[in-house]
Amino acid sequence: MNIISSADNSLVKAIGKLQKRKYRQETGKFVLEGYRLVKDAFSNNPAELKIILAESKASEYLVRFPNATVLSDILFEKNCDTVNSQGIMAIAPIAPYIIEPTSNFCLYLDRVRDPGNLGTIIRTAVACGFRDILLDDCVDVYNPKTIRSSMGAFFHCNFVLPNAEIDSRYLVVCADARGTDIRKVPKMPTDKKLCLVIGNEANGIGDALKARADITVSLPMCEGVESLNAAVSASVAMYWFKYFNNLNNSEEKICPDTANGPL
């Protein structure tokens, strides 16, 4: 078994460079860490995956990935983003962006900057059938923390070019503190698709996007809470429009003195 132990090795240098967004964009590749993510990537696209193992884990993983490259433990850990690695990573190709959304449920993310929030939103979006996701000036979806937070869900969605047109087939719904209580929003028209817009964690949705909204909604909250985390707000709104909006809307208060607070 050949074990790479030199930091000057071209593969080792490439792993280090791929921690930076600029290099990921230039090469069209990114790094996955952890057995589950590597396994999912291998199932989707085995031919274009470069699997790398830590020496101490080689005997465990080489049975399934016999063509993997092995690094010394010191070199492997040095190039990991995770604190406690599982001894396996891979270099994978970035999937091409689609030109425009086509699915019945589309998610538009406006300047979502926290990688953990973005990963969580992607995971929930896939669970709710929001398979087309437009990322407008957001943190890089291939940021290591975003990838881990998504739990592999990014393999099952389409990322849309930032300048894509949201045409008249879509009803544009913005989540904003000054919107209508989401429980009081009329049922979605059957001839329309839905584009849900979620804004920046600190500043919300930009004015230009707000002006495009067909409906603006807010989440009801009890007193004592001013706002919700962006990923939580996005998740609640997606579940509502996917599973509950077409049911009979309820006027019942969720707790005494419910108020519409910021999303």
Side-chain angles (χ1 to χ4, degrees):
M1 179 173 60
N2 183 37
I3 301 170
I4 297 173
S5 57
S6 171
D8 291 327
N9 180 274
S10 58
L11 175 63
V12 174
K13 288 183 176 179
I15 296 169
K17 288 180 179 179
L18 286 171
Q19 301 301 323
K20 298 180 180 180
R21 181 174 189 169
K22 178 182 177 181
Y23 195 72
R24 292 194 290 268
Q25 292 174 333
E26 289 176 356
T27 61
K29 297 179 180 179
F30 69 107
V31 175
L32 293 159
E33 294 184 26
Y35 176 73
R36 177 176 176 176
L37 288 175
V38 172
K39 176 175 67 70
D40 288 348
F42 188 80
S43 299
N44 281 282
N45 194 4
E48 296 190 47
L49 207 65
K50 181 67 175 178
I51 299 174
I52 302 108
L53 307 176
E55 181 181 358
S56 60
K57 293 287 186 177
S59 59
E60 178 181 345
Y61 294 127
L62 278 173
V63 175
R64 174 151 192 179
F65 309 112
N67 296 320
T69 299
V70 181
L71 305 186
S72 68
D73 286 346
I74 293 176
L75 205 56
F76 188 94
E77 293 299 328
K78 184 178 179 180
N79 286 277
C80 273
D81 183 71
T82 52
V83 176
N84 298 307
S85 78
Q86 295 177 325
I88 182 169
M89 67 171 71
I91 296 176
I94 291 174
Y97 281 61
I98 63 174
I99 297 174
E100 62 182 8
T102 58
S103 64
N104 288 334
F105 293 89
C106 165
L107 187 63
Y108 190 123
L109 302 180
D110 178 27
R111 297 165 296 141
V112 173
R113 299 288 169 76
D114 182 271
N117 279 343
L118 179 57
T120 300
I121 291 170
I122 291 170
R123 185 179 179 185
T124 308
V126 171
C128 291
F130 284 72
R131 297 293 174 132
D132 292 350
I133 303 175
L134 194 152
L135 304 170
D136 188 350
D137 195 17
C138 294
V139 64
D140 184 14
V141 69
Y142 294 101
N143 177 294
K145 187 174 180 181
T146 301
I147 292 170
R148 290 196 299 274
S149 298
S150 79
M151 295 294 288
F154 67 95
F155 287 124
H156 306 288
C157 60
N158 303 309
F159 295 112
V160 186
L161 289 173
N163 58 352
E165 177 72 21
I166 305 299
D167 61 36
S168 58
R169 294 173 299 171
Y170 284 90
L171 190 74
V172 178
V173 179
C174 285
D176 184 80
R178 290 167 291 280
T180 302
D181 185 326
I182 197 169
R183 299 168 301 167
K184 298 178 181 179
V185 172
K187 294 179 181 180
M188 295 294 101
T190 57
D191 62 337
K192 286 282 190 178
K193 299 181 178 184
L194 175 71
C195 177
L196 176 64
V197 184
I198 301 294
N200 175 265
E201 290 90 345
N203 302 308
I205 298 168
D207 291 339
L209 267 176
K210 286 181 185 178
R212 293 172 58 187
D214 296 300
I215 303 172
T216 302
V217 300
S218 64
L219 299 182
M221 290 183 289
C222 298
E223 290 185 356
V225 178
E226 292 185 358
S227 64
L228 295 174
N229 171 274
V232 172
S233 298
S235 298
V236 172
M238 282 188 283
Y239 268 100
W240 178 265
F241 284 111
K242 175 67 174 181
Y243 297 112
F244 300 109
N245 177 257
N246 287 328
L247 302 176
N248 291 326
N249 293 350
S250 173
E251 297 283 337
E252 183 180 354
K253 289 186 176 182
I254 57 173
C255 58
D257 301 318
T258 296
N260 286 331
L263 283 157

